[in-house]
Amino acid sequence: MMNKLLLVSAGAVWGFMVITPINALSAQTKVAKNDKVSNSQVAKDKVRNTTTTSKNGVKNSTTAKKTSKTGVVKAPILQNKLPYTAKDLKQPRTDVAAMPLAFKRNSSISISTNPDVDLVEIAQASTNIAQTGNATSNSPDIIRQQLLIRPITPQTQNVFKQIYTPSLNAGTPVAFGLQTGDAFISVVGATAGRLRDTVDGSISVGAGLGDASQYAAVEGVFNINSIRNFGSNGSFDLKVHRLIYQDDSRQAAIAVGWTNFANYGSNAGGTPSSVYGAATISQLTNPDNAENPQPIVATIGVGGGTYRKSTSSDGVGIFANVGYQFDPQWGVSTAWSGQGLNFGLGFLPDVTFPLNLTLTYSDVTNNSNAGTQVIFGVSYGFNYSGRR
C-alpha cells in the first residue's frame, strides 16, 4: 500500500513539471497570434484610408491582406461604397497641394562660376561696336550689328504758333499787302486839325486776293471816312503787290497803289485821289531769336496827290518810312508823308494774337493840309482760309 502511494505522488510531481512549460509555450503562441492580427488590422486600415474617388462620385474602398508566409500584400480588391456620409466629411483629408515640396540635393549637378570665354569675347566685341560702329571680329557680333534696329524717334509735332509784330508804320503806304484769305478791320480816331474842328474817326475793312510770292496779289480797302456822320461818305483804295525776294531773314516787295480811286458822299475824306509806287524791305536783325527777331522795315516811294507838297498842285512827292521792333510787343517808327514828319508807336498785347494798337503823332512840323493831329488806332488782322 505504501509503495502505491509513493508511486502516485511521484507521477503527480512529474506531470506538473511537464504541464507548466507547455502552458507557458501556449500563452506565448496566443500573444504572437494576437500581434499578427493587430498588424493585419492596421494594414487594412491604411489601405482603407488611401482610397480614391471615382469619376461618378462613388468612393471605392480597397482592402489588402498580407500572407503569413511571404509577407507580400495582395492586390487590393475594389469594393463599391456609397457616397460620402456626414461621418466621412468630418474626417480630415490630406490636401496634396498644401503638402510642402522637399528637394534633395544632387551632387551630380554643378554650376560653374567661371565665365564662358566665348561670351566674354562677344560682350567685348559688342562694346567695341557700340563705341566705334565697326565689327571687330567674325563672331556673332557681325550678325547682331546687321540685325540691329535703331529706336524709332517720334516725329516732333509742329507746335509753333504764329508770331505777329506790332505796327512798324507811321502813316505811309508799304509794299507788303494782303493775300488770299487775309483780311483786317481797323478803327481810327483823330484829334481836330485844319480840315475839321472836332474829334472824329474812320473805319476801314480790307481783304486780299492772290499769292504775292507766285505772281501778284491785290488788296482792296473800303473806308468809312466819318464815324460822326456814319455812312454819309466813303472811299476805296486799291494796291497790287509782288514779293520779289525772300529768305530766312529778309523780304523785299514792290507795289503800285491808288488811294481814294473811288468815293461817294460829300467831302469824301478831304484828300485827293493819289497814285503811288513803293518798295519795302524787311530785315531781321536778330534772326536766331525766335521770340524777338527784331525786324527793321524800310519803305521808300513816290506818288502824287496827297504824297506831294501841299503847296504844289502837280508833280510827285517822295515819302519814306522806317520802323523797328525793339521788343516782342513794342515797335517804333518814323515817316515822311510827302508833306510832314510823323512818329508812330505800335503795341501788340499778345504776340500770338493779331490785335494791334497804334499811336501816331502826325505832321509834327504842321506842314500838311490836315495839320498836326494825334491819331489812335485799333486793328485786327486774320486769315479766313486757314492757309497760314
Side-chain angles (χ1 to χ4, degrees), residues 34-54:
N34 291 333
D35 290 341
K36 276 188 176 183
V37 172
S38 298
N39 292 337
S40 176
Q41 185 65 29
V42 170
K44 289 179 180 181
D45 294 338
K46 287 185 178 180
V47 172
R48 186 175 293 109
N49 290 336
T50 58
T51 57
T52 59
T53 304
S54 61

Side-chain angles (χ1 to χ4, degrees), residues 31 58 78 83 99 108 140 184 200-201 205 214 253 275 294 302 304 317 335 364:
V31 171
V58 178
L78 222 28
M99 296 177 61
S108 63
F184 80 93
D200 202 351
V205 178
Q214 294 295 327
V275 177
Q294 297 177 329
V302 295
V364 177

Side-chain angles (χ1 to χ4, degrees), residues 23-102:
N23 290 333
L25 180 60
S26 176
Q28 291 178 0
T29 302
K30 289 181 178 181
V31 171
K33 185 176 181 179
N34 291 333
D35 290 341
K36 276 188 176 183
V37 172
S38 298
N39 292 337
S40 176
Q41 185 65 29
V42 170
K44 289 179 180 181
D45 294 338
K46 287 185 178 180
V47 172
R48 186 175 293 109
N49 290 336
T50 58
T51 57
T52 59
T53 304
S54 61
K55 293 182 180 179
N56 59 10
V58 178
K59 182 178 179 181
N60 294 325
S61 175
T62 60
T63 58
K65 184 176 181 181
K66 186 186 294 184
T67 62
S68 59
K69 293 182 180 181
T70 62
V72 178
V73 179
K74 292 183 179 181
I77 300 174
L78 222 28
Q79 297 179 358
N80 291 333
K81 188 179 179 180
L82 292 175
Y84 286 112
T85 63
K87 182 178 179 180
D88 295 330
L89 295 175
K90 290 181 180 179
Q91 296 179 357
R93 297 176 57 190
T94 303
D95 192 353
V96 178
M99 296 177 61
L101 299 177

Side-chain angles (χ1 to χ4, degrees), residues 286-361:
N286 189 11
D288 296 330
N289 188 343
E291 295 183 356
N292 186 22
Q294 297 177 329
I296 184 172
V297 179
T299 300
I300 188 170
V302 295
T306 190
Y307 302 113
R308 60 176 178 243
K309 291 182 180 181
S310 59
T311 57
S312 177
S313 58
D314 55 7
V316 296
I318 298 175
F319 60 89
N321 179 88
V322 177
Y324 176 67
Q325 180 184 347
F326 63 90
D327 183 85
Q329 295 179 274
W330 294 92
V332 293
S333 58
T334 183
W336 174 258
S337 65
Q339 296 183 0
L341 183 64
N342 302 339
F343 292 102
L345 179 67
F347 175 65
L348 198 66
D350 184 353
V351 296
T352 63
F353 189 72
L355 179 68
N356 252 298
L357 307 181
T358 60
L359 183 64
T360 305
Y361 188 18

Side-chain angles (χ1 to χ4, degrees), residues 124-290:
Q124 292 176 350
S126 299
T127 303
N128 294 333
I129 291 173
Q131 294 176 353
T132 63
N134 299 320
T136 58
S137 67
N138 294 326
S139 59
D141 56 351
I142 297 177
I143 300 176
R144 186 182 299 105
Q145 180 68 15
Q146 293 174 350
L147 297 178
L148 179 64
I149 300 176
R150 297 184 181 275
I152 299 175
T153 303
Q155 296 291 334
T156 303
Q157 295 183 354
N158 184 13
V159 295
F160 175 76
K161 293 183 178 180
Q162 177 70 43
I163 301 298
Y164 300 93
T165 61
S167 175
L168 302 179
N169 183 31
T172 60
V174 294
F176 299 122
L178 305 179
Q179 304 180 78
T180 297
D182 295 333
F184 80 93
I185 181 172
S186 67
V187 179
V188 176
T191 60
R194 292 178 179 174
L195 297 179
R196 62 174 182 264
D197 55 3
T198 59
V199 175
D200 202 351
S202 63
I203 299 175
S204 299
V205 178
L209 180 65
D211 189 345
S213 61
Q214 294 295 327
Y215 301 102
V218 178
E219 175 184 305
V221 179
F222 167 63
N223 307 292
I224 298 175
N225 295 322
S226 176
I227 295 178
R228 282 181 175 273
N229 301 314
F230 189 82
S232 62
N233 54 32
S235 63
F236 299 88
D237 302 334
L238 190 67
K239 177 170 65 175
V240 179
H241 57 97
R242 173 81 162 90
L243 188 66
I244 60 175
Y245 180 80
Q246 181 178 10
D247 60 23
D248 293 337
S249 60
R250 186 181 299 107
Q251 287 183 325
I254 56 175
V256 175
W258 191 354
T259 302
N260 195 12
F261 76 92
N263 55 69
Y264 67 93
S266 61
N267 192 21
T271 58
S273 177
S274 306
V275 177
Y276 65 88
T280 302
I281 184 171
S282 174
Q283 172 71 51
L284 301 181
T285 60
N286 189 11
D288 296 330
N289 188 343

